[in-house]
Amino acid sequence: MSAALPQNPSRRSVLKGLGMAVLAAGPLSACAFGSDDKPANNGPTGTVSANNPLGVAANAPLEVVIFKGGLGDAYATEVHEPMYKKAYPEATIKHMPTQQISQTMQPRFASGDVPDVIANSGSDVMDNGALASEGQLLDLTPLFDAPAIGGSGKVRDGLLPGTVEAGILSGKPYLMKYIYTVYGLWYDQALFEKNSWTPATTFEEFDALLGKIKAAGLKPYAYAGKNASYYQYWMIAITAAKIAGNQVLIDMDNLKEGVWTSEPVLKAATAWAEIGKKYLDPSFEGLTHTEVQTAQNQGQIGFYPSGSWLENEQKEQTPATFKYGLTPTPSVTSSDKLPFGAVRAAAGEAYIIPAKAKNPQGGLEYMRMMLSKEGARGFSEKTGNITVVKGAADGLPLSPGTKASNDALNKAGDNIITYNLFEDWYKEFETELRAKTNALMFGRITPDQFCKDVQAKADAVRNDSAVTKQNRTS
């Protein structure tokens, strides 16, 4: 996403012929990765020992593909890859940065010539659900059950709650989610202090505050409709969860009949549609996330919905006077099930190992290093983002945005709204949701029609026997 973390609408391709010509196509279909080929895990292996519990072949080459978006790739080239090279000096490491993950990787998946580790993110993200259903992803259970580096117990024991579960597809952990992300409304603390503006706790207060921001000559609220409309449906889903509790997101993930037309979702859509009607600039539907984010850094925008990767992604465009702040989405009514301070926070940013990787044991070891306190701390130092490794960032100086995220988490306490997994599970549905979100927020459809249209797409996916169904219980 990056937007670095979340996942933008993917463009898939149909690959034909020896030339691997890539033709523009719609959402990824099940056949795009060659399901007739049986995945192989027959990579080189070494002697299993206390220092090498995964049996890595010391001289086996390792290829790492990194999405170079908001997180950059210095965390890989200056932290994780040197850790691997230190442990296995005979191994050569091929590093490949790209912003076109799907376009670059699809031909390689189709041919079987895949790398060993992939940071699958960005606007050209691959469909993890489809990859898993095709047998193209390696089960990461051995990683999470391996001994933790530099600590006691297993790798999984040192991770924040819900981390392993966030990467489960069809009952197995195929994804390693790495960043603990906090979502909400971002603003410039310095600008707000200068104007004596205080973030609102209710939609009524939010409306009044946006009016003041508009009167000051700013765009009060903005998101990028061209490639980041998912930022806005997050806000609608979070608001629905505040109204009715986290069960509404579980129902969304499970494609439950009637969830999108339920009263909490309709109330949330109505509240946000009113904000769009009064305060969204229509031209923003044609802008990218970086364009809108940079406009905020230039003092032109009040609030922007996003995740806690935002500060790092914008560091090159952010003036020294700009100080990122985060506030939760406003409450709709006094009877909301969750308090104003409730925030959505979860393990995100998926890393995968192809089932046909040439060095799958090396890939697992590389991830084990990422999930060590040393690897996680180095990542935080390079990116400003907190990982899923417990305590890895303790004692590090925190930037304003990271501190704001931590403060929001501390205030939320147990009131954490958990991740929408349909983003990984049902990309065709998620792509349609993006389009309907723009239509709602820019006034082309009513909240009632939005709910009906999105529910119809959810029903179509639920009733499609060709789509592998997932299940979430908590």
Side-chain angles (χ1 to χ4, degrees):
M1 2 187 164
S2 310
L5 296 175
Q7 300 172 348
N8 299 356
S10 19
R11 284 187 177 269
R12 302 305 175 207
S13 304
V14 177
L15 306 173
K16 295 183 179 180
L18 295 176
M20 306 307 292
V22 180
L23 306 178
L28 177 67
S29 64
C31 63
F33 292 95
S35 59
D36 291 337
D37 297 327
K38 293 182 180 180
N41 300 333
N42 301 323
T45 58
T47 302
V48 173
S49 66
N51 292 327
N52 187 13
L54 293 168
V56 178
N59 61 352
L62 183 77
E63 183 178 2
V64 180
V65 175
I66 298 295
F67 169 69
K68 191 175 181 179
L71 298 173
D73 66 344
Y75 70 88
T77 59
E78 298 177 20
V79 180
H80 300 146
E81 291 170 13
M83 287 178 68
Y84 191 93
K85 188 68 175 178
K86 181 179 180 180
Y88 303 98
E90 297 177 59
T92 58
I93 300 176
K94 180 179 180 180
H95 174 84
M96 177 182 173
T98 181
Q99 291 192 356
Q100 301 294 328
I101 290 291
S102 180
Q103 181 178 327
T104 304
M105 290 294 101
Q106 273 187 216
R108 296 188 61 179
F109 269 97
S111 68
D113 176 27
V114 287
D116 302 304
V117 178
I118 303 172
N120 187 26
S121 190
S123 60
D124 194 36
V125 65
M126 291 183 291
D127 186 333
N128 288 316
L131 285 171
S133 67
E134 290 297 321
Q136 295 288 348
L137 299 184
L138 191 70
D139 180 355
L140 302 181
T141 299
L143 163 69
F144 296 118
D145 285 343
I149 295 175
S152 59
K154 299 177 179 180
V155 168
R156 67 172 70 241
D157 298 331
L159 307 180
L160 290 168
T163 297
V164 176
E165 291 77 7
I168 289 177
L169 296 169
S170 300
K172 294 181 179 181
Y174 288 112
L175 314 178
M176 191 274 277
K177 299 291 187 78
Y178 194 52
I179 297 176
Y180 206 66
T181 303
V182 185
Y183 300 80
L185 303 177
W186 294 84
Y187 63 97
D188 178 7
Q189 295 183 56
L191 175 68
F192 273 50
E193 290 168 4
K194 177 182 176 182
N195 289 279
S196 298
W197 296 332
T198 302
T201 62
T202 68
F203 263 92
E204 183 177 359
E205 293 174 356
F206 192 46
D207 187 6
L209 175 57
L210 293 180
K212 292 179 182 179
I213 296 173
K214 183 177 182 179
L218 282 69
K219 306 294 184 184
Y221 183 83
Y223 75 92
K226 184 173 183 179
N227 73 333
S229 54
Y230 58 99
Y231 289 15
Q232 182 56 44
Y233 81 59
W234 287 339
M235 300 303 115
I236 296 171
I238 291 168
T239 298
K242 283 194 171 182
I243 294 171
N246 200 63
Q247 183 63 43
V248 71
L249 298 192
I250 296 174
D251 291 343
M252 287 177 180
D253 289 338
N254 292 337
L255 302 174
K256 184 176 179 180
E257 186 174 357
V259 61
W260 286 97
T261 52
S262 65
E263 183 179 0
V265 179
L266 179 58
K267 281 185 176 180
T270 300
W272 281 108
E274 187 65 19
I275 297 301
K277 178 181 178 181
K278 296 178 69 172
Y279 300 112
L280 264 183
D281 186 325
S283 68
F284 283 19
E285 187 170 8
L287 299 184
T288 66
H289 65 285
T290 52
E291 290 172 321
V292 179
Q293 291 164 190
T294 300
Q296 185 182 44
N297 296 146
Q298 295 170 348
Q300 301 173 28
I301 292 168
F303 288 102
Y304 178 73
S306 190
S308 51
W309 66 85
L310 176 63
E311 181 182 50
N312 184 71
E313 182 172 62
Q314 288 298 113
K315 63 184 178 182
E316 299 300 326
Q317 288 74 38
T318 304
T321 55
F322 191 101
K323 185 179 178 183
Y324 271 109
L326 171 66
T327 183
T329 54
S331 300
V332 178
T333 71
S334 58
S335 60
D336 285 0
K337 192 166 184 178
L338 296 177
F340 161 71
V343 292
R344 178 191 177 199
E349 189 76 359
Y351 291 75
I352 58 177
I353 298 176
K356 296 181 182 179
K358 299 178 184 67
N359 186 8
Q361 301 309 114
L364 289 168
E365 178 70 358
Y366 183 87
M367 286 188 176
R368 192 170 76 106
M369 292 175 176
M370 290 178 68
L371 293 173
S372 69
K373 283 197 174 182
E374 179 187 351
R377 189 177 183 85
F379 179 90
S380 294
E381 289 175 327
K382 294 295 181 183
T383 70
N385 285 269
I386 297 172
T387 71
V388 298
V389 180
K390 296 176 184 176
D394 288 354
L396 289 177
L398 300 179
S399 63
T402 303
K403 184 179 184 301
S405 297
N406 279 344
D407 289 346
L409 284 174
N410 289 334
K411 290 176 182 177
D414 294 333
N415 295 304
I416 299 297
I417 297 168
T418 56
Y419 198 74
N420 302 67
L421 293 173
F422 61 71
E423 293 183 341
D424 284 322
W425 291 351
Y426 309 114
K427 287 301 296 179
E428 288 191 26
F429 166 74
E430 196 264 357
T431 299
E432 177 73 2
L433 176 55
R434 294 169 188 259
K436 294 302 179 183
T437 297
N438 273 347
L440 171 73
M441 293 300 295
F442 290 98
R444 293 191 295 277
I445 59 175
T446 66
D448 184 66
Q449 192 62 51
F450 166 82
C451 292
K452 289 179 179 177
D453 289 351
V454 176
Q455 185 62 57
K457 184 62 177 179
D459 292 341
V461 173
R462 186 181 67 252
N463 296 327
D464 186 348
S465 60
V467 176
T468 301
K469 305 305 186 299
Q470 310 291 340
N471 183 62
R472 174 182 165 196
T473 58
S474 63

